């Protein structure tokens, strides 16, 4: 179970949305700007570039093992903050959209927890070496 290939594949799966998202934003930068404006982040172009660079850099740190714990904690904090900005299901009227936002909210809490677990494993492994 602890093979390097399985560990890397699991980390790649965990980081998949944080690789795909920035690549999509790069291919449609105007859409990325519109997304930042939708969430009230100004200047939108600055935040779009910052999010793209941040997500790709943190994912690279996790996948390469270079300060993996730091990249994982950074994505945990980012995910938690973005979840509270983008998935405020409690402000929505009852119905399908609220249910889908609530599901996504709690899925993102799970991602946050997974990144914290990766950070703990990597940090404690480094402390033993």
């Amino acid at each position: 179970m602890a093979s390097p290939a399985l560990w890397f594949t699991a980390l790649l799966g965990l980081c998949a949305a944080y690789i795909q998202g920035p690549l999509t934003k790069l291919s449609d930068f105007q859409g990325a700007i519109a997304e930042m404006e939708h969430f009230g982040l100004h200047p939108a172009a600055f935040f779009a570039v910052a999010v793209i660079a941040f997500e790709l850099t943190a994912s690279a740190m996790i996948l390469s093992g270079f300060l993996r714990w730091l990249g994982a904690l950074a994505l945990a904090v980012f995910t938690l903050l973005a979840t509270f900005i983008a998935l405020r299901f409690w402000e929505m009227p009852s119905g399908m959209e609220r249910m889908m936002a609530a599901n996504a909210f709690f899925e993102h809490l799970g991602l946050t927890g997974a990144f914290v677990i990766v950070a703990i494993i990597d940090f404690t492994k480094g402390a033993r070496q």
Side-chain angles (χ1 to χ4, degrees):
M1 285 299 289
S3 76
L6 182 58
W7 180 241
F8 182 81
T9 302
L11 292 173
L12 184 59
L14 184 59
C15 293
Y18 303 89
I19 297 168
Q20 176 271 332
L23 295 179
T24 299
K25 285 175 178 64
L26 282 171
S27 70
D28 179 13
F29 193 68
Q30 289 306 313
I33 291 172
E35 180 183 32
M36 298 304 138
E37 289 173 344
H38 172 78
F39 293 117
L41 300 172
H42 298 286
F46 168 80
F47 278 100
V49 169
V51 167
I52 290 166
F54 172 77
E55 288 182 319
L56 289 174
T57 300
S59 294
M61 291 169 73
I62 291 168
L63 295 174
S64 70
F66 176 74
L67 296 175
R68 177 177 285 141
W69 64 272
L70 183 60
L73 284 181
L75 280 179
V77 170
F78 172 82
T79 301
L80 189 61
L81 293 174
T83 298
F84 277 96
I85 291 170
L87 297 169
R88 298 153 54 121
F89 69 91
W90 54 89
E91 295 179 352
M92 300 174 148
S94 294
M96 171 95 79
E97 286 187 39
R98 179 182 176 140
M99 183 180 69
M100 291 177 67
N103 286 342
F105 179 91
F106 288 101
E107 289 169 355
H108 283 78
L109 290 184
L111 280 171
T112 299
F115 282 122
V116 170
I117 290 168
V118 168
I120 290 168
I121 290 169
D122 193 64
F123 194 77
T124 58
K125 181 183 81 173
R128 286 180 283 168
Q129 293 178 352

